[in-house]
Amino acid sequence: MYMQRISLLDFRNYSDISLDLGPGCFILAGDNAQGKSNFCEAAAMLSSMRSFRASSERELIRWGSAGGFAKIQASFQRAQDSCGVSIVISETKPAILPQSAAVPLDEQLSAGSARKKVWLNDAPKRALDCVGAVKVILFEPADLDIVSGAPSIRRHFLDVTLCLQSRKYCKNLSQYQRILTQRAALLKRIREGMDSAGSLTYWDEQLALHACAITAERAAFVARCLPYAEEFGWKMGIAALKPEYIPSFLAEDTVHGNQLFLEQLTRLRKREIAQGVNLLGSHRDDLMFLSETISLGVYGSRGQQRIAALALKLAELRVMEDIDGDRPILALDDVLSELDTTRRKALLNHVKNYTQVFLATAEPEALPDDFIQSAVRLRVSQGNIRQW
Amino acid sequence: MDNVAAPVQAMIEEFAKLPGIGPKTAQRLTFFLLRAPKDISQRLADALIRLKEQVRSCSVCCNLTETDPCSICGNSQRDHSVVCVVEEPLDVLVIEKTGVFKGVYHILHGALSPVDGIGPKDLKIDELLFRVAKGDINELILATNPNYEGDYTAAYIASAITVSNIKMTKLARGLPLGGDLEYADEGTLARALEGRRIFDSAGH
Ligand SMILES: [Zn+2]
């Protein structure tokens, strides 16, 4: 699939731009803080319906915008049809409310928040129903953390990816969060003698059911990524690159898995109550990146970690393509600067035949001439985008 | 708000404690009462006093009532061997509207929710177990809300009931998961009441 046209209105530092696009590679060249990442953020938002970096969606509205709202609008050509997606983020309340005991806490917390409205082919929809209607895979500098950061970052990556792919997973995951919250509270209550340990039975079963399903889905996805990641690893000079899902519990299959899970849970009973914490489940799983048998998260160089993270994202794109029969759009934000010339060429060769690629870089002169000639060259400067 | 008379300020603060009422609405209500004829305030004040003084808990089903036992528990035409267990008094109104249920009720006044600090002792569960222990009940319909807290409450009650000759059924079919009984439409609820299924909890 590819984006045919995009318009940004009062989004971040873009006051009003429209771009006609199409299949192929697009180089977004520009100095830092000119709007390259903002463009990539908008493209990714059209796919996931949320910003990967805004702590509050209110940040997305351009400072000083007259209308008090930001709008992202784009049309896409998919394998079978075309599709239009629009997102409007508007201010709901002034950012500062007088702090007072008389103001209920929820009103205080929602002060300065934003409202998001979404349209799919001009029909208003819930954001959740538009997730994954079009698919944009974004790789940006902070994605290095998928390999080198905390396990929660890796789980989060898998959750976001699988939510893009399946509504069922998304629902399962939100129920799982609810179960974890209630069960942790119950463990603490049991520790304080306010509830009996027998009360755990219900939550144990719910936990087993959801944890086994979530872990199985994540592991299956990582297994599908493996051949693609490995292939890319060889091209980029990492031997036998292998992403491997590490469940925190034993589960052979979902039928017997539940029983096995409950047995492991029983063995942890005393510790769980003493600590008041859920010690078993998908929220304690991890994802490991191996080269041969060496963990890149622990022993890899920064360069190797970046390549491993990139390999996973590119594999994600291929797995989605296998499932949907349509290749997602790829956006690479500032990934070239940390690669040497050989690897830079290998990466560009790998992605140059993708349906649509956005390549944001501060050093376009470092790109090979033939690549520059074959791509659409765009210059990003102070919230404007022009051809060069 | 230093320039506002103390009684006005006090009224605004009291209104703002009510669920769903923010500071703006609290102000609007207060100034409405200030400007309205005095008997509107008088009737409101009387109703508030009567609410707490004359409404009590039914000693059988724990519903809110003026008479004890309540009109449903005191009705000999109803089937006292079938008890429908619900979370809130409002749920009784909803089920009564369907007109298909001829049994009686038990009102828990909430659902178990560890994260909100609501345990068995905070609900009318002991009262229910007491009713069951007396031995006049043949069937319990667990009609808690179809969400995790409601399900957990039903499972807890099912495991706490040790007498074996009671049929326990659960309202499930047709009700949207994650919803409140209060918002289910009458047709759906009537079908659910007729198609209730035997409760299979871990304890049984
Ligand atoms: Zn009663």
Side-chain angles (χ1 to χ4, degrees), chain B residues 58-63 65 69-74 105:
Chain B
C58 171
S59 58
V60 182
C61 71
C62 303
N63 203 355
T65 175
C70 71
S71 59
I72 293 175
C73 292
Y105 294 92

Side-chain angles (χ1 to χ4, degrees), chain A residues 162-367:
Chain A
L162 288 164
C163 283
L164 215 57
Q165 206 57 249
S166 149
R167 286 277 303 279
K168 194 174 141 241
Y169 183 88
C170 209
K171 200 175 158 201
N172 225 347
L173 190 69
S174 81
Q175 292 177 338
Y176 185 67
Q177 296 301 340
R178 184 84 192 142
I179 294 162
L180 285 180
T181 313
Q182 286 288 22
R183 195 171 177 278
L186 184 58
L187 287 166
K188 291 191 185 79
R189 282 177 62 90
I190 293 168
R191 185 180 62 195
E192 310 301 326
M194 297 159 82
D195 260 304
S196 66
S199 308
L200 280 168
T201 312
Y202 173 81
W203 298 107
D204 287 357
E205 284 177 355
Q206 294 297 332
L207 186 74
L209 198 69
H210 288 77
C212 289
I214 288 168
T215 292
E217 288 235 25
R218 287 186 190 157
F221 172 78
V222 174
R224 293 182 79 153
C225 285
L226 174 63
Y228 295 122
E230 188 181 356
E231 181 204 347
F232 182 73
W234 286 119
K235 285 185 183 172
M236 301 293 280
I238 296 184
L241 174 62
K242 186 183 181 196
E244 190 174 55
Y245 194 71
I246 315 287
S248 60
F249 55 92
L250 292 169
E252 275 144 18
D253 53 69
T254 39
V255 182
H256 300 99
N258 290 1
Q259 204 46 51
L260 213 56
F261 185 94
L262 289 170
E263 284 166 25
Q264 294 165 79
L265 205 54
T266 310
R267 282 199 289 279
L268 284 170
R269 182 71 88 226
K270 272 190 187 148
R271 266 179 60 202
E272 281 199 303
I273 293 171
Q275 296 179 28
V277 174
N278 294 295
L279 290 175
L280 202 67
S282 316
H283 62 294
R284 302 185 65 106
D285 294 354
D286 201 355
L287 171 63
M288 229 167 127
F289 293 83
L290 300 168
S291 168
E292 289 169 329
T293 53
I294 296 155
S295 162
L296 293 175
V298 184
Y299 301 107
S301 68
R302 209 178 141 82
Q304 285 175 318
Q305 291 176 344
R306 189 171 300 278
I307 290 164
L310 187 54
L312 186 67
K313 285 266 176 159
L314 293 173
E316 174 194 0
L317 181 142
R318 297 296 293 274
V319 171
M320 286 187 176
E321 178 182 358
D322 290 344
I323 295 169
D324 299 341
D326 197 358
R327 182 169 281 188
I329 297 160
L330 178 65
L332 298 170
D333 186 10
D334 195 22
V335 284
L336 297 173
S337 55
E338 299 213 21
L339 297 174
D340 61 31
T341 316
T342 322
R343 293 201 170 88
R344 203 175 289 174
K345 273 195 177 140
L347 171 62
L348 294 174
N349 267 326
H350 188 81
V351 303
K352 73 176 178 203
N353 294 322
Y354 278 22
T355 316
Q356 191 177 45
V357 181
F358 295 102
L359 190 77
T361 176
E363 307 166 307
E365 58 282 358
L367 293 168

Side-chain angles (χ1 to χ4, degrees), chain B residues 102-118:
Chain B
K102 302 295 177 216
V104 293
Y105 294 92
H106 190 88
I107 293 86
L108 298 168
H109 290 276
L112 294 173
S113 177
V115 76
D116 298 309
I118 301 170

Side-chain angles (χ1 to χ4, degrees), chain B residues 71-80 102-104:
Chain B
S71 59
I72 293 175
C73 292
N75 183 345
S76 59
Q77 303 295 304
R78 300 192 71 120
D79 183 351
H80 289 252
K102 302 295 177 216
V104 293

Side-chain angles (χ1 to χ4, degrees), chain B residues 30 32-48:
Chain B
T30 304
F32 164 79
L33 288 174
L34 267 176
R35 292 185 189 116
K38 193 178 175 198
D39 62 312
I40 289 197
S41 298
Q42 190 59 54
R43 280 201 299 264
L44 179 64
D46 292 347
L48 284 172

